[in-house]
Amino acid sequence: MQERIRNFSIIAHVDHGKSTLADRILQMTKAVSDREMREQFLDSLELERERGITIKASAVRLFYQSKAGETYIFNLIDTPGHVDFGYEVSRALAAVEGVLLVVDASQGVEAQTIANFYLAMEHEHTIIPVINKIDLPGAQPLEVALEVEEVLGIPADECIFASGKTGQGVDEILEAIVARIPAPKGHPEHPLQALIFDSIFDAYQGVIPYVRVMDGSIQPGDRIRIWSTGKVFEVDKVGVFRPGALEPVARLGPGEVGWITAAIREIGDAQVGDTITLAQNPCDAPYPGFQPAKPVVFAGLYPTDTQDYNRLREALEKLKLNDAALSFEPETSEALGFGFRCGFLGLLHAEIVQERLEREFDLDLISTAPSVIYRVKLTNGEEIEIHNPSELPNPDKIEAIYEPYVKLTVYTPEEYVGSIMQLLQEKRGKMGNMHYVGKRVEMVYEVPFGEILYDFHDRLKSLSRGYASMDYEQAGYQEGELVKVSILVNEEPVDALAFIAHKDKAYGIGREIVDKLAEVIPRQQFAVPIQAAIGGKIIARATVKALRKDVLAKCYGGDITRKKKLLEKQKEGKKRMKAIGKVDVPQEAFLAVLSAGRD
Amino acid sequence: MGGPALQHLYLHVPFCPTICPYCDFHVVRRYGDVVEAYLKRLAQEARGLFEQHPGPLTTLYLGGGTPSFLRSHELEALFRALPWNIEAAEVTLEANPGTLNPERLGLLRELGVNRISLGVQSFQDSVLKTLGRAHGRTGALRAVEMSLEAGFHTSIDLILGLPGQDVEADLAQATALGVEHVSAYTLQVEPGTPFALRGLAPDPDSEAQALALAQEVLGTAGLARYEVSNFARPGRESQHNLAYWRNAFWGGLGPGATGQLAGLEPHIFAVRYTNPPLPRWLQGEEPLLEQVGSLEHLKESLMLGLRLAQGVDLELLEQRSGLEVWPALEPAVRQLSSQGLLVVQQKRIRASDLNTLHPIILQLWDGLERQNPAPLEPRRLPGY
């Protein structure tokens, strides 16, 4: 049976049509009937569907009858397609033997194509290049195949031309999976070694880890041990993934992909990347490469209604179950009350977490502007980490501030190199190297992470008409001339609005933020001054004028219903605001820093 | 039918000679024998309401549209269609300056009308032209004089703060003529009207300025601001409109008219209904019903009552709704009063500034909703 298993993932640059191709494979292996077929079958989160991107890895088992007449088990593990989710991609890849590397036939190779390719290479995986979307008018499949050969070193004749949309070429892909991807190794008699590549939470069953059995086997009744925590659980059920359902089976053998229930209650006991083995007969070592996910961006999340604090904590705990990268700890803000400082993989991750909290848990939240982690050397020799700009000590206590840098790789057609260099200079980037691959250029820079956090990707896309793409990895800390800018609303400093900026940029950003705040804070019954300050020195100010009239001129019998609805709507709007002193401040205000200092 | 006797009646006359570009009321031009059909259906509707609510009425308001635009025999038929006793009532008729003459005024007098509300808008030709009105300065002046001479309590509508308007001159003209009631409206641009399409959105600062000016000029002439947009010599306030702002019950007749009657079941305090527009109303289509629970009624009472200079009597609301109003509102009332936004006298509250009511209303609503959570889901009643 083991030699009839094929485990594979699909990797691609975002928007290259990965999910559509996965859907088509599901349909052509009859895993889902045409009737059940809905677009992006694997993307089950409501949010994923809406945004058209895959956020979470997800798995499915398919049966495929090859042209030679043999039946194979395919385990398809879908991977996130965004640069924020690199660790999840790497764990998903650990669970398979081969990948379909999908490249858009009109866009060609992009930065994430390359990054994902190298990830797959590290795992020594078989790579099947698929040139996708060949049905589109702008498709240049042959050129792209040659580019794949030139840039990635995969012979062009290994490329399969396909369209997830029309289904063209998909049968060839299925045959290639059988022919080119090796069956999983591993021995049924060896001690159990199973890799957790994802997990979900179920109200009745607790944490359900998704595993790939590397060695040995697992069945109900087994006593298992979680490697990193050492905790022991008794397996209740094991099973596999069928489209839309978790299907119990008698056992999971080597090479198989499935799930386990074992009354696991704590999130920490099923972290992505961890290893499960048997309590009595453990394996020698865990599957290598486990690392607790490291958040790199921090933001405060606060309930708009202070009474929701406990609900927010419960919601975060549940989310963390299948989002190993999310971290959070309680935090108190003078302005916002009790909330949590949350760590994220990136801005998109932060946005998604907030949206999921609001949608799936029905919470109204205020989030503060995301910030990177600064390291500060104090005059007394002590070194501290700053997760929240408002925690930055007074300048006289600071010896030096260090900011995180990333190694940024931009991949672009050559005509945009000039303007991209200019953008990177503005972002305080230091050029590493640059080389030409055909008519494309790979530019490598060291850039302060905080500088590319907000709008860098958008600006890169817009100045290159969508052609340039990027990828980055953390690259240590460097000293910077940084200052804390405080924001005062109605003469009171608002800790949640403080930010850290390079001293040459602080004035400009401060100016823009107070202007932006004056724009988004609704007029109240009194004038509200908004100020930006460095230390005790005011560097910018603006005023929200007092609202002198809000009533409608006419309100007679026939207007009551409409007028009341109008007010009810205002009331709903107010719920999304936070009262700071006497001033109602809307969510946008806390994100004002995102849109400031950008040109 | 429970509740106190119906004292107030609104009657909608939808016909207009021209359609003003800022108007979002239900209006039509007259065509064919539509007025005849209208009068027939109106008589029917009036009889039905009268059987349930025999009055007598303390106020009757004929609004439009332009009721004065009806021909004399039509006006006679209209009053014949109303079975209520209106002898002691304030009977107001909305009129456009161009539609009045001494003869017509005499007839109105005979029919029982004792108050005329004139849609003057301005005494300046250029402003009237912008507004697309049929009359000019001369017509406006003449109409006011005629109405006063004929012995009607006379109110005029003025618009405030149109581009190019000399607001002070219009206000001074009104006081010079000796009218005893002025409705001074800042331009309210309703979505979908031609004004909205032209982007004529007023700015709150200049609106507040214009209202302050009106308060000063009219106040000096003895017309006090008794509601956000209404000014009157003491004792000459519109009794009919006061009924709306006090959230009383009233009947509504005619196409597009709204009425509010007492609810039939304990948890439904009131039922508000809106008649369909003219063509469907003529075909006898039922009105749209909205059931108002006690909590909602309270919220509306605050929203409306705070528009009045005299404010809202919370004790009265308690008696009417049977809900605990004061304990629910007290914390918010104390806070608003400490901020100088509300003036409290025993259980009566009033806003210190009639121009900015929304934050006050919302805070009071909050108090009510906290104290009286989860209002009963209103159920649909069989035909009302």
Side-chain angles (χ1 to χ4, degrees), chain B residues 170-184:
Chain B
D170 272 337
L171 291 164
Q173 182 70 70
T175 60
L177 285 165
V179 295
E180 52 195 19
H181 189 283
V182 174
S183 300

Side-chain angles (χ1 to χ4, degrees), chain B residues 191-343:
Chain B
T193 58
F195 269 25
L197 302 177
R198 275 161 59 184
L200 270 179
D203 135 62
D205 285 349
S206 45
E207 284 185 296
Q209 244 167 21
L211 278 164
L213 187 64
Q215 200 161 352
E216 191 193 314
V217 176
L218 297 175
T220 310
L223 274 63
R225 186 181 186 191
Y226 73 99
E227 192 260 358
V228 172
S229 308
N230 285 277
F231 302 79
R233 209 173 287 288
R236 292 290 170 233
E237 299 87 2
S238 161
Q239 295 304 311
H240 185 81
N241 290 338
L242 278 173
Y244 296 137
W245 297 317
R246 290 174 182 155
N247 208 5
F249 297 123
W250 76 94
L253 288 181
T258 299
Q260 172 166 276
L261 302 172
L264 287 173
E265 291 181 30
H267 64 280
I268 297 164
F269 187 83
V271 174
R272 204 152 49 234
Y273 65 91
T274 304
N275 284 340
L278 186 68
R280 289 192 271 132
W281 177 78
L282 286 175
Q283 287 160 20
E285 191 179 296
E286 292 293 309
L288 206 71
L289 296 186
E290 181 190 357
Q291 301 179 355
V292 184
S294 298
L295 176 62
E296 293 307 302
H297 173 76
L298 274 180
K299 285 168 64 184
E300 289 165 5
S301 301
L302 289 170
M303 172 184 95
L304 295 163
L306 284 169
R307 295 181 65 91
L308 292 170
Q310 60 172 217
V312 193
D313 185 353
L314 298 180
E315 192 156 356
L316 201 73
L317 291 190
E318 281 185 334
Q319 286 165 14
R320 246 204 271 167
S321 67
L323 291 179
E324 293 266 337
V325 177
W326 181 250
L329 288 182
E330 199 185 352
V333 166
R334 294 275 168 243
Q335 196 190 350
L336 290 163
S337 115
S338 76
Q339 290 169 10
L341 300 175
L342 267 188
V343 180

Side-chain angles (χ1 to χ4, degrees), chain A residues 132-261:
Chain A
N132 193 26
K133 302 195 190 180
I134 55 168
D135 58 306
L136 290 188
Q140 295 182 296
L142 292 174
E143 282 79 354
V144 171
L146 289 172
E147 192 185 4
V148 165
E149 178 170 308
E150 193 172 63
V151 179
L152 307 178
I154 306 173
D157 58 11
E158 286 184 16
C159 290
I160 299 174
F161 301 106
S163 161
K165 204 167 142 205
T166 65
Q168 193 184 347
V170 176
D171 48 353
E172 201 184 330
I173 294 174
L174 296 172
E175 283 296 310
I177 291 168
V178 169
R180 299 192 208 171
I181 296 176
K185 297 191 187 81
H187 290 279
E189 307 307 325
H190 283 184
L192 173 69
Q193 187 196 50
L195 168 74
I196 303 174
F197 65 87
D198 196 0
S199 60
I200 58 161
F201 182 81
D202 179 276
Y204 301 103
Q205 324 238 36
V207 185
I208 305 178
Y210 289 5
V211 298
R212 154 71 197 269
V213 179
M214 297 297 181
D215 245 339
S217 69
I218 183 168
Q219 57 198 1
D222 281 349
R223 288 171 58 74
I224 52 167
R225 170 175 292 153
I226 308 293
W227 195 279
S228 72
T229 65
K231 286 202 201 157
V232 174
F233 299 93
E234 188 178 314
V235 176
D236 182 28
K237 278 184 274 185
V238 301
V240 296
F241 307 100
R242 293 294 292 156
L246 298 179
E247 187 181 287
V249 296
R251 62 187 276 278
L252 292 173
E256 290 201 87
V257 173
W259 50 267
I260 297 170
T261 60

Side-chain angles (χ1 to χ4, degrees), chain A residues 471-485:
Chain A
D471 195 23
Y472 62 79
E473 57 190 74
Q474 301 297 322
Y477 277 73
Q478 296 185 21
E479 190 173 349
E481 289 187 87
L482 303 166
V483 291
K484 177 171 84 173
V485 181

Side-chain angles (χ1 to χ4, degrees), chain A residues 542-555:
Chain A
T543 307
V544 182
K545 284 199 293 178
L547 179 61
R548 295 184 51 208
K549 178 175 176 294
D550 59 15
V551 287
L552 297 182
K554 294 184 188 182
C555 185

Side-chain angles (χ1 to χ4, degrees), chain A residues 307 523 525 545-564 566-568 570-571 574 582, chain B residues 185-186 188 190 205 207 228-230 241 244-245 250 258 272 290 296 299-300 304 307 341 354-359 362 369:
Chain A
Q307 299 183 345
R523 293 172 70 177
Q525 280 161 306
K545 284 199 293 178
L547 179 61
R548 295 184 51 208
K549 178 175 176 294
D550 59 15
V551 287
L552 297 182
K554 294 184 188 182
C555 185
Y556 298 101
D559 306 318
I560 298 173
T561 303
R562 197 172 47 134
K563 170 99 200 259
K564 191 172 79 180
L566 200 91
L567 274 166
E568 297 278 9
Q570 273 192 24
K571 199 171 97 204
K574 242 175 116 82
K582 294 191 294 174
Chain B
Y185 302 116
T186 52
Q188 196 169 319
E190 300 296 341
D205 285 349
E207 284 185 296
V228 172
S229 308
N230 285 277
N241 290 338
Y244 296 137
W245 297 317
W250 76 94
T258 299
R272 204 152 49 234
E290 181 190 357
E296 293 307 302
K299 285 168 64 184
E300 289 165 5
L304 295 163
R307 295 181 65 91
L341 300 175
L354 290 181
N355 292 342
T356 48
L357 298 178
H358 288 185
L362 292 185
E369 284 167 356

Side-chain angles (χ1 to χ4, degrees), chain A residues 275-292:
Chain A
T275 298
I276 293 177
T277 187
L278 289 180
Q280 301 307 327
N281 180 20
C283 51
D284 298 337
Y287 187 84
F290 170 65
Q291 41 174 321

